[in-house]
Amino acid sequence: MDRGHAAMKLAFVYNANAGIMAAVMDSLHKIVSPSTYACDLCAITYGLTSMKREWRDWLRTLDIPTHFYHRPDFKSDWPDVTEPLPAIFLERDGKLEIMVSAAEFKGVTQVDQLITLLDRALSARGIKTGEVL
């Protein structure tokens, strides 16, 4: 993978595995023991079976491409990155810049809070976001 020439994009990294069985187990975990669920990004942006509408609508307003990783795929593509997960990064010039850290996720419980946090971080870097339709 040649990351050096890739366009700037926003990388969302779930602290979860990919696949149907992993998704089912994650949904059950959110119901049975939400306080011990390991992926705050997933807990905030997904309901039991699908992405929350408010989050999906906001993503569509972005003036930057997005990429979604599960933990194993991210570790495969970025083996030297040791940032705790979940996290949101800005990928630019073959490097990752942290936008929202795992620690910052601890203070976020709702989609609108995450959107506000990301709008501010993106705006500070000159990246346009739009109004949720």
Side-chain angles (χ1 to χ4, degrees):
M1 170 183 224
D2 178 27
R3 294 188 302 259
H5 300 292
M8 184 170 53
K9 63 184 159 188
L10 207 51
F12 297 88
V13 186
Y14 299 108
N15 189 24
N17 291 320
I20 298 293
M21 282 308 296
V24 169
M25 295 306 293
D26 284 350
S27 290
L28 288 173
H29 195 159
K30 284 191 248 182
I31 293 169
V32 175
S33 186
S35 65
T36 63
Y37 186 63
C39 185
D40 294 320
L41 175 58
C42 187
I44 294 164
T45 61
Y46 273 80
L48 290 179
T49 59
S50 63
M51 186 179 281
K52 292 180 179 176
R53 179 183 299 261
E54 182 181 6
W55 180 244
R56 185 178 56 243
D57 290 348
W58 180 80
L59 290 170
R60 289 180 180 148
T61 71
L62 293 176
D63 193 29
I64 181 173
T66 57
H67 185 88
F68 295 87
Y69 289 99
H70 287 90
R71 183 182 48 243
D73 301 325
F74 180 73
K75 295 291 183 188
S76 175
D77 283 0
W78 299 91
D80 297 332
V81 176
T82 59
E83 183 73 32
L85 301 177
I88 302 172
F89 298 93
L90 179 65
E91 182 182 340
R92 177 174 21 199
D93 300 324
K95 295 182 174 61
L96 294 179
E97 177 182 341
I98 191 73
M99 299 287 284
V100 180
S101 69
E104 289 174 294
F105 271 109
K106 298 300 178 198
V108 177
T109 59
Q110 302 293 320
V111 170
D112 61 336
Q113 293 172 304
L114 182 56
I115 289 171
T116 298
L117 188 63
L118 278 167
D119 275 341
R120 287 183 186 144
L122 291 166
S123 180
R125 290 161 179 86
I127 300 167
K128 287 181 13 179
T129 61
E131 296 293 321
V132 176
L133 304 175

